Amino acid sequence: ACLQRAAAQDARVLVRSRENRGLVATLNEGLALARGDLIARMDADDIAYPTRIGSQVQAFLEEPDLAMCGTAVDVIVENRVYFSPPDPVFQRGDLRVLSLFFTLFIHPTVMFNRLRLREELVYDPAYLHAEDFDLFRKIAARHRVRLLATPLLSYRLHPQSVSSRHNRVMRQTHLRIVAENLAAEGFEGDMSALVAIGSQPTQASVSRFAHLVRDLDRQIETRPADLRPSYRDGLTNLIYFTMNLLMNEQKPTLLA
């Protein structure tokens, strides 16, 4: 009712109501309906700060070639806000390199330049529950992206969130994307170890993953000196991500 009243008062407000077709279909439908030069993404249970939109618009005005802009976030847990300090990885890192290893931005913070991205601005349903990781890596590979270090949104963590309810599938898809990225980047090694440990964590898959990490670490030393710290930060994040996956399996023998 609130939305309908707003639409009656402002022709720019469009309310689209239909059956639930899933997140990816809904995101793509929203993108297709959007007519603005800039498109801001947000979830219903998060809280955008009053300066969020203005700060991101200013970033696009300062950099006309900017394709995507995200922001840092504070975190809401059980209605309590935890304020987040700046992440040094983002402050010193190359965003294109980092985007190979993990989801570059918190999804509800992003703003897209529709005119620059055009047909590239579409989510791929083949990457279930990691569609944001897939889209962000593609954009960062081809365009300029930026992270605003100031938290401009409070991101809510709760058991019913998509990331919580579909955690296992999300992690499997995430590791598949990392494997694709590293292979495309020219890294050599047993990339299927990432898919294996995501699909079936066993002592054998843990061992394969450890050997892959060793191989990647050696190959990072051959990369341009100015990018090595970003590759190392990305690899560290991958290790941390996989350790969390193993701990969530509640099988401590895997780490013995």
Side-chain angles (χ1 to χ4, degrees):
C2 292
L3 293 172
Q4 295 292 355
R5 285 196 298 271
Q9 297 169 4
D10 190 333
R12 296 172 300 176
V13 177
L14 173 63
V15 181
R16 177 59 61 93
S17 182
R18 45 113 172 115
E19 74 282 1
N20 186 353
R21 299 175 194 163
L23 178 60
V24 173
T26 302
L27 289 171
N28 286 332
E29 183 176 346
L31 291 172
L33 290 168
R35 293 293 176 264
D37 294 347
L38 302 176
I39 300 175
R41 163 84 170 86
M42 187 174 169
D43 288 328
D45 56 352
D46 299 324
I47 299 173
Y49 297 160
T51 57
R52 180 210 163 177
I53 299 296
S55 298
Q56 289 184 284
V57 170
Q58 184 60 38
F60 284 97
L61 292 175
E62 293 171 358
E63 302 182 58
D65 63 338
L66 191 63
M68 179 174 65
C69 178
T71 83
V73 299
D74 296 321
V75 176
I76 304 174
V77 180
E78 296 182 349
N79 294 320
R80 179 175 179 179
V81 178
Y82 294 85
F83 298 104
S84 303
D87 190 330
V89 170
F90 285 106
Q91 291 179 318
R92 65 175 178 254
D94 181 280
L95 295 183
R96 187 200 70 81
V97 171
L98 295 177
S99 74
L100 302 173
F101 294 90
F102 57 84
T103 309
L104 204 53
F105 304 134
I106 300 296
H107 201 182
T109 73
V110 296
M111 183 179 285
F112 301 108
N113 184 336
R114 185 174 66 89
L115 297 181
R116 180 158 292 276
L117 292 171
R118 298 187 183 278
E119 68 277 0
E120 296 176 69
L121 191 51
V122 60
Y123 292 88
D124 189 342
Y127 295 96
L128 189 62
H129 302 308
E131 64 283 333
D132 51 344
F133 185 10
D134 171 58
L135 180 61
F136 297 172
R137 62 160 171 170
K138 292 173 180 175
I139 293 175
R142 305 185 185 103
H143 301 279
R144 178 163 176 74
V145 299
R146 180 176 173 184
L147 173 72
L148 303 183
T150 301
L152 295 175
L153 179 137
S154 283
Y155 179 69
R156 192 179 302 275
L157 296 177
H158 58 85
Q160 295 306 310
S161 68
V162 172
S163 57
S164 295
R165 288 185 289 113
H166 303 288
N167 187 270
R168 186 180 182 85
V169 176
M170 180 193 70
R171 289 175 183 269
Q172 292 173 354
T173 308
H174 181 106
L175 290 171
R176 176 161 63 94
I177 292 174
V178 175
E180 293 176 358
N181 290 343
L182 294 176
E185 190 75 359
F187 283 96
E188 298 179 352
D190 181 13
M191 299 304 168
S192 63
L194 294 175
V195 178
I197 199 170
S199 301
Q200 190 175 10
T202 63
Q203 288 190 341
S205 61
V206 169
S207 178
R208 289 175 61 190
F209 174 75
H211 282 87
L212 175 62
V213 168
R214 179 199 60 193
D215 293 340
L216 294 174
D217 186 56
R218 291 172 178 170
Q219 292 173 68
I220 285 173
E221 293 305 312
T222 68
R223 299 284 159 153
D226 60 326
L227 296 179
R228 285 176 207 159
S230 296
Y231 282 110
R232 293 192 190 102
D233 285 338
L235 184 58
T236 299
N237 182 278
L238 177 61
I239 295 169
Y240 179 76
F241 179 92
T242 308
M243 289 291 291
N244 272 332
L245 180 152
L246 296 175
M247 297 306 295
N248 286 343
E249 289 292 317
Q250 298 182 348
K251 295 179 180 178
T253 56
L254 293 176
L255 305 178

